[in-house]
Amino acid sequence: MKKNILTTFFLCITAIGFSQETESKYDEKLAKSLNGDERGMKQYVFCLLKTGSNTTATAEEKDNMFKGHMANIGRLAKEGKLVVAGPFSKNDRNYRGIYIFNVTTIEEAKALVATDPAIQSNLLEAELTPWYGTAALQETLKIHEKITKK
């Protein structure tokens, strides 16, 4: 008896949830401005940054190259070419960080990574892969600016 009451209760709750109308929040203007398809998705290029082959750079050289690396990240983000960038915690795979480029081809992404001093000097190596994700990802930088103190 108790089992039947619980089953009936869950069926009623489920039916109520499914019967409620959901209002579409689709914003055609925003979707078009972000180049989103009918699913709100678009093509990007994912970049996995790994430890490069340069093992002879001095600490001062590394420091200068990584200052250039950070400046390059800022420039690409301001240009709208880079929507996500960030480092990995220490790991045993030599993964150093990721980029998600707001471009559709590997060739475009290769041109962008070629501007990075840490990649130019082989301190980092870039592995590029096409990636399909939410077009809204491009909006994260605007939000990030609002939550960053420094």
Side-chain angles (χ1 to χ4, degrees), residues 19 23 29 46 87 89 91 127 129 138 142 148:
S19 69
E23 183 180 320
K29 184 179 176 184
F46 179 87
S89 298
N91 61 78
E127 184 178 297
T129 305
Q138 299 164 86
K142 292 175 190 172
T148 304

Side-chain angles (χ1 to χ4, degrees), residues 52-57 61-66 69 113-125:
S53 60
N54 183 345
T55 58
T56 61
E61 289 171 330
K62 287 179 186 178
D63 187 49
N64 288 333
M65 287 180 235
F66 277 104
H69 169 73
V113 296
T115 66
D116 188 317
I119 293 172
Q120 292 169 354
S121 65
N122 292 320
L123 284 178
L124 295 176
E125 173 187 309

Side-chain angles (χ1 to χ4, degrees), residues 4-148:
N4 287 339
I5 292 172
L6 284 175
T7 303
T8 303
F9 173 74
F10 285 118
L11 286 174
C12 287
I13 295 297
T14 303
I16 291 168
F18 284 122
S19 69
Q20 293 178 350
E21 285 188 39
T22 57
E23 183 180 320
S24 174
K25 296 177 183 175
Y26 178 69
D27 183 334
E28 184 176 3
K29 184 179 176 184
L30 179 59
K32 284 183 179 181
S33 75
L34 298 174
N35 296 314
D37 63 15
E38 66 278 355
R39 292 181 181 87
M41 308 281 276
K42 72 179 291 287
Q43 188 69 46
Y44 297 95
V45 175
F46 179 87
C47 176
L48 179 62
L49 296 171
K50 300 178 186 178
T51 301
S53 60
N54 183 345
T55 58
T56 61
T58 66
E60 184 179 339
E61 289 171 330
K62 287 179 186 178
D63 187 49
N64 288 333
M65 287 180 235
F66 277 104
K67 283 180 184 173
H69 169 73
M70 296 305 293
N72 194 57
I73 288 171
R75 178 184 63 80
L76 292 172
K78 283 181 184 169
E79 292 175 2
K81 297 292 184 185
L82 184 63
V83 294
V84 171
F88 285 114
S89 298
K90 189 172 178 125
N91 61 78
D92 60 355
R93 295 188 188 128
N94 293 320
Y95 292 170
R96 302 291 297 277
I98 65 165
Y99 291 151
I100 298 180
F101 289 111
N102 191 15
V103 299
T104 58
T105 68
I106 297 293
E107 291 72 29
E108 291 172 288
K110 281 182 182 178
L112 297 175
V113 296
T115 66
D116 188 317
I119 293 172
Q120 292 169 354
S121 65
N122 292 320
L123 284 178
L124 295 176
E125 173 187 309
E127 184 178 297
L128 302 168
T129 305
W131 184 68
Y132 183 66
T134 177
L137 192 59
Q138 299 164 86
E139 296 294 290
T140 59
L141 291 175
K142 292 175 190 172
I143 296 166
H144 183 73
E145 290 173 356
K146 293 177 182 180
I147 63 170
T148 304

